[in-house]
């Protein structure tokens, strides 16, 4: 009897967005602290303001470029099946079409995060980006089937 596939309905994670916002906020706090320290050393207030505006603008541009370069599609479905040749997977598209079979490897298996390599595409699975039962089944599969 063939193995039952693990169906992962992957959605964008709000945990990832929260981490991004937290990193941004800590960077802005550090920049403000540094600029306040520079103001105490009697540096011109105008220069400090221009540096702050330049830092924020540069950060926004870099974040926008990174989001554009490494963006992931909104929602998609991944079918995972254990076979004799290892772990196979394929994407199921919104139109119902099934993609070609690809090898699935686990690059990182942590207590909260999973980093999968699906046919060369790197995919981070956050705790809220897929159903908990499907993630639990995938973790068990990745733990007990050796990677090649």
């Amino acid at each position: 009897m063939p193995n039952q596939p693990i169906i992962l309905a992957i959605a964008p994670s709000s945990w990832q967005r929260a981490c991004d916002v937290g990193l941004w906020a800590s960077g802005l706090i550090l920049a403000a602290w540094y600029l306040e320290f520079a103001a105490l050393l009697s540096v011109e207030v105008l220069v400090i303001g221009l540096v702050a505006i330049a830092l924020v603008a540069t950060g926004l541009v870099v974040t926008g470029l990174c989001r554009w370069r490494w963006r992931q599609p909104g929602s998609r479905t991944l079918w995972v099946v254990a076979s004799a040749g290892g772990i196979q997977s394929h994407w199921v598209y919104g139109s119902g079409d099934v993609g070609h079979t690809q090898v699935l490897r686990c690059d990182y298996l942590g207590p909260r995060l999973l980093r999968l390599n699906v046919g060369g595409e790197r995919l981070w699975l956050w705790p809220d980006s897929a159903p908990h039962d499907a993630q639990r089944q995938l973790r068990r599969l990745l733990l007990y089937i050796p990677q090649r």
Side-chain angles (χ1 to χ4, degrees):
M1 181 172 140
N3 293 338
Q4 292 285 28
I6 299 170
I7 302 169
L8 291 167
I10 301 170
S13 173
S14 58
W15 284 37
Q16 181 181 10
R17 289 189 183 110
C19 288
D20 290 346
V21 168
L23 286 172
W24 249 100
S26 62
L28 288 176
I29 289 170
L30 283 173
W33 176 74
Y34 176 75
L35 293 174
E36 181 180 331
F37 180 71
L40 291 176
L41 296 177
S42 72
V43 178
E44 295 278 334
V45 175
L46 179 62
V47 173
I48 293 172
L50 291 176
V51 169
I53 290 171
L55 282 174
V56 170
T58 303
L60 287 173
V61 168
V62 168
T63 301
L65 288 174
C66 288
R67 285 229 176 254
W68 173 76
R69 171 64 176 92
W70 290 291
R71 70 183 178 271
Q72 292 183 357
S75 295
R76 48 194 180 161
T77 304
L78 180 69
W79 282 42
V80 179
V81 178
S83 65
I87 302 173
Q88 305 291 322
S89 66
H90 57 269
W91 292 107
V92 178
Y93 302 107
S95 63
D97 296 335
V98 177
H100 62 281
T101 302
Q102 300 173 340
V103 176
L104 182 132
R105 287 186 313 128
C106 180
D107 293 339
Y108 175 76
L109 180 63
R112 300 265 185 247
L113 291 174
L114 286 169
R115 181 176 170 205
L116 303 175
N117 190 325
V118 182
E121 177 186 355
R122 294 183 181 134
L123 174 70
W124 284 97
L125 277 182
W126 290 74
D128 65 339
S129 62
H132 294 290
D133 290 340
Q135 281 198 22
R136 181 183 52 77
Q137 290 173 354
L138 181 62
R139 283 177 186 279
R140 294 181 89 189
L141 179 69
L142 293 171
L143 280 173
Y144 297 115
I145 292 184
Q147 300 287 318
R148 295 183 179 179

